[in-house]
Amino acid sequence: MRWQTETLDFPTDRGTLHGEILLPQGKGPFPGAVLCHGMASGHLAMKPSAQRLVRRGIATLTFDFRGHGKSEGVLDGDLAEDVIAATKFLGCHEKVNPKRIAIVGHSMGAMAAIKAAASFENIRALVCLSSPVETNGDFTTLWAHFNTKAKQAGNPIIEFPRNGSLLLHGGFTSIVSRIWMWLRGYRLRVNVENGPECLMKLNPLPYIDKIGDFPKLFVHCTGDKWLPHEEVLRLYEIARPPKHYILSEGGFHAAPLFPGKLRGRWISWLVSILT
């Protein structure tokens, strides 16, 4: 199935966000899904999943979070506001049914999606891919890394990959990571003066049990070296039903976004809910 592509910018409380809507051919109205990327990537990371959804008749909106890519602002803890703005924007599209919209988030995007979903009563579904459970010491360590980069740059606002690798360790992996960000057009801007407490606002635990009675899907891999799957089960256990959990053997943190059975499973689940 072919689809229409609309490149766009839409407003939030902290500036303009850049994104893209994929629309199935036809008059609609179509069900819709907002796809939220992880830290230091961008809307292109979610585009392959968006393309598979649009082939199944789902209109999709992908966007760069604040401080990422072509969007304005810097990374802070109000990312849920970006998800809320994107969801409302998609719901106002003339070819989209505002009563049949889902939110999908990966990693940091999943945390923002959970917080945003708690403020909606009428979204149709929530999909959390490799979601962190809480913003803890790992984020404090990451912010210390940001501070080091800021001192080297002589500026509280730093940008990756221009100011180096986002990875905490050096070596070949960091070089590859920096080159990958350049090639993909990924950009991340951080104001270190905000401090790590700004990201603490994204902690999903205070919000997960406040999400409404619509279907929720949690997807994780046992091979995720960043997030133990036992921790993610906490989110699933606290969430109100209806809820579902997909645990894939092996894999890695970004595996739910890559071609394979796992991506096919959560996409098929979401299509079954929306159509």
Side-chain angles (χ1 to χ4, degrees), residues 26-70:
K27 295 182 178 180
F30 305 105
V34 175
L35 278 65
C36 312
H37 66 81
M39 181 183 287
S41 62
H43 78 278
L44 288 178
M46 308 304 290
K47 189 169 183 175
S49 299
Q51 290 173 339
R52 278 145 187 82
L53 285 167
V54 76
R55 290 189 185 112
R56 306 281 290 273
I58 311 297
T60 61
L61 169 59
T62 59
F63 67 97
D64 294 334
F65 274 111
R66 63 184 66 184
H68 289 77
K70 295 182 180 179

Side-chain angles (χ1 to χ4, degrees), residues 8-233:
L8 48 89
D9 297 289
F10 59 94
T12 70
D13 62 323
R14 296 288 184 89
T16 300
L17 302 184
H18 177 76
E20 185 176 79
I21 290 180
L22 303 183
L23 292 164
Q25 294 287 356
K27 295 182 178 180
F30 305 105
V34 175
L35 278 65
C36 312
H37 66 81
M39 181 183 287
S41 62
H43 78 278
L44 288 178
M46 308 304 290
K47 189 169 183 175
S49 299
Q51 290 173 339
R52 278 145 187 82
L53 285 167
V54 76
R55 290 189 185 112
R56 306 281 290 273
I58 311 297
T60 61
L61 169 59
T62 59
F63 67 97
D64 294 334
F65 274 111
R66 63 184 66 184
H68 289 77
K70 295 182 180 179
S71 291
E72 297 178 347
V74 296
L75 176 67
D76 64 31
D78 293 323
L79 298 180
E81 295 300 322
D82 294 354
V83 181
I84 292 171
T87 304
K88 291 180 177 178
F89 185 85
L90 182 62
C92 289
H93 196 285
E94 61 181 0
K95 289 190 175 183
V96 175
N97 183 346
K99 296 181 179 180
R100 301 194 70 80
I101 293 180
I103 302 175
V104 180
H106 173 251
S107 193
M108 178 195 74
M111 292 194 296
I114 289 171
K115 185 175 179 181
S119 68
F120 283 107
E121 296 182 357
N122 60 343
I123 66 169
R124 189 66 186 89
L126 171 68
V127 179
C128 300
L129 309 173
S130 305
S131 176
V133 177
E134 53 188 336
T135 49
N136 50 27
D138 291 338
F139 282 88
T140 302
T141 302
L142 182 61
W143 214 271
H145 175 64
F146 291 161
N147 271 292
T148 299
K149 293 293 184 181
K151 290 178 181 178
Q152 293 173 349
N155 191 331
I157 298 179
I158 53 175
E159 179 181 313
F160 298 94
R162 182 169 61 86
N163 292 122
S165 170
L166 183 68
L167 297 182
L168 302 182
H169 52 79
F172 179 73
T173 303
S174 292
I175 295 173
V176 171
S177 173
R178 189 177 186 185
I179 292 174
W180 177 249
M181 289 188 71
W182 278 119
L183 292 176
R184 295 286 289 174
Y186 295 156
R187 300 290 184 272
L188 170 63
R189 296 173 299 283
V190 179
N191 186 344
V192 298
E193 294 179 346
N194 289 344
E197 64 276 3
C198 79
L199 283 181
M200 295 297 179
K201 297 176 183 178
L202 273 183
N203 189 342
L205 286 177
Y207 303 98
I208 190 67
D209 65 343
K210 296 179 175 61
I211 297 175
D213 299 326
F214 46 81
K216 308 160 194 70
L217 177 64
F218 299 84
V219 181
H220 209 72
C221 296
T222 61
D224 190 332
K225 295 181 179 180
W226 293 358
L227 305 170
H229 68 274
E230 294 87 355
E231 287 292 303
V232 181
L233 276 171

